[in-house]
């Protein structure tokens, strides 16, 4: 099974700062890596699919990139509403798996 | 409009089984896989499995293969999950999600509100 490792586990950031979250896959998963945002007491929401494709309606400050088995979610100019936990998720091979999550706190 | 509505919270004793329903409306239920994901208190997301509502074919995460069953009733656009042999470690919010992630073309993720299952003696 593909293991996804995320870093950091927690990040406390001031508004307008840039946030970078990393996700590393234990094996080659191509570009089948997606990013979800989950706010407290809410269901997850898909932000980025296939490493870098933004879902409709997602603010342009969210972007994704990849390099081999390393994937990055970037939030440019963080806003207060971006306080959430972010999860990477792979659908390259069954069983699908999630990363452990990165909690972003807005100071 | 699109809605995915799950059944209400459950409290179960260890060893019991629980069944959670997930009713879809506002889209064609059979167009997208239904995934089940759980989240223990204060923990991350855990993928449990998926069912193809059209064919009924299922895929399970290894750790759930023995005691987790997914079914569906297309006549009422509803998916079900049943988890047996419950232990306190199964205490979690269980989410269903109709998802289709396409490299090219429109993708969707429609999530239910989550169902809290508490296992306690």
């Amino acid at each position: 099974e593909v293991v996804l490792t995320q870093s950091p586990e927690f990040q406390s950031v001031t508004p307008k700062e840039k946030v970078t979250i990393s996700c590393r896959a234990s094996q080659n998963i191509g570009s089948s890596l997606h990013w979800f945002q989950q706010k407290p007491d809410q269901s997850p929401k898909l932000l980025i699919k296939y490493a870098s494709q933004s879902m409709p309606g997602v603010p342009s400050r969210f972007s994704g990139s990849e390099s081999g088995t390393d994937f990055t979610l970037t939030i440019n100019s963080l806003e207060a509403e971006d306080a959430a936990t972010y999860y990477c998720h792979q659908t390259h091979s069954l069983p699908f798996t999630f990363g452990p999550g990165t909690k972003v706190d807005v100071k | 409009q699109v809605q995915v509505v799950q059944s209400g919270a459950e409290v179960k004793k260890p060893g019991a089984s629980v069944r959670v329903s997930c009713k879809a409306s506002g889209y064609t239920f059979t167009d997208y896989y239904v995934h089940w994901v759980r989240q223990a208190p204060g923990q991350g997301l855990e993928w449990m499995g998926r069912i193809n509502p059209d064919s009924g074919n299922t895929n399970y995460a290894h750790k759930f293969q023995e005691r987790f069953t997914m079914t569906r009733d297309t006549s009422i656009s509803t998916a079900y999950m049943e988890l047996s042999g419950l232990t306190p470690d199964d205490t979690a919010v269980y989410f269903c999600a109709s998802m289709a992630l396409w490299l090219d073309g429109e993708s969707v993720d429609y999530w239910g509100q989550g169902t809290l299952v508490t296992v306690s003696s």
Side-chain angles (χ1 to χ4, degrees):
Chain A
E1 129 176 353
V2 176
V3 176
L4 300 176
T5 306
Q6 284 185 240
S7 61
E9 292 182 23
F10 177 80
Q11 200 164 9
S12 185
V13 187
T14 55
K16 298 187 180 180
E17 268 195 76
K18 179 179 177 179
V19 173
T20 300
I21 298 170
S22 297
C23 177
R24 173 168 289 177
S26 62
Q27 62 192 72
N28 176 43
I29 59 170
S31 297
S32 299
L33 189 285
H34 321 286
W35 291 98
F36 286 84
Q37 175 193 63
Q38 186 182 32
K39 296 182 179 179
D41 298 318
Q42 292 188 17
S43 302
K45 171 190 171 183
L46 180 63
L47 294 179
I48 303 282
K49 60 167 182 162
Y50 292 99
S52 61
Q53 299 180 21
S54 293
M55 290 294 286
V58 173
S60 59
R61 61 182 180 274
F62 290 91
S63 64
S65 62
E66 65 177 301
S67 177
T69 57
D70 292 328
F71 300 84
T72 302
L73 174 69
T74 301
I75 311 173
N76 282 299
S77 192
L78 186 80
E79 297 191 7
E81 66 183 26
D82 301 332
T85 302
Y86 294 84
Y87 296 92
C88 54
H89 173 57
Q90 70 82 21
T91 59
H92 179 266
S93 56
L94 290 162
F96 298 162
T97 49
F98 284 94
T102 295
K103 185 174 182 178
V104 174
D105 173 69
V106 181
K107 293 178 183 175
Chain B
Q1 75 280 23
V2 170
Q3 277 195 306
V4 180
V5 179
Q6 298 183 220
S7 49
E10 303 265 11
V11 179
K12 296 291 183 182
K13 293 195 182 304
S17 298
V18 68
R19 190 191 201 205
V20 176
S21 67
C22 169
K23 182 170 177 61
S25 61
Y27 62 99
T28 304
F29 174 66
T30 51
D31 278 354
Y32 313 119
Y33 277 95
V34 174
H35 298 247
W36 290 91
V37 175
R38 78 177 185 180
Q39 185 168 39
Q43 301 301 308
L45 303 175
E46 183 174 27
W47 189 82
M48 300 179 69
R50 69 174 184 176
I51 182 168
N52 181 326
D54 191 25
S55 65
N57 288 342
T58 55
N59 303 106
Y60 294 94
H62 299 317
K63 69 179 285 186
F64 297 109
Q65 271 179 335
E66 301 298 319
R67 59 191 187 97
F68 179 53
T69 304
M70 294 175 288
T71 57
R72 90 291 187 218
D73 184 339
T74 57
S75 70
I76 54 172
S77 300
T78 300
Y80 302 92
M81 61 138 275
E82 183 166 353
L83 190 62
S84 62
L86 292 170
T87 73
D89 286 343
D90 293 315
T91 294
V93 174
Y94 290 77
F95 293 99
C96 67
S98 286
M99 276 200 289
L101 300 177
W102 304 114
L103 182 58
D104 298 310
E106 185 180 343
S107 296
V108 300
D109 70 315
Y110 305 139
W111 290 75
Q113 81 277 19
T115 296
L116 175 62
V117 175
T118 303
V119 183
S120 174
S121 55

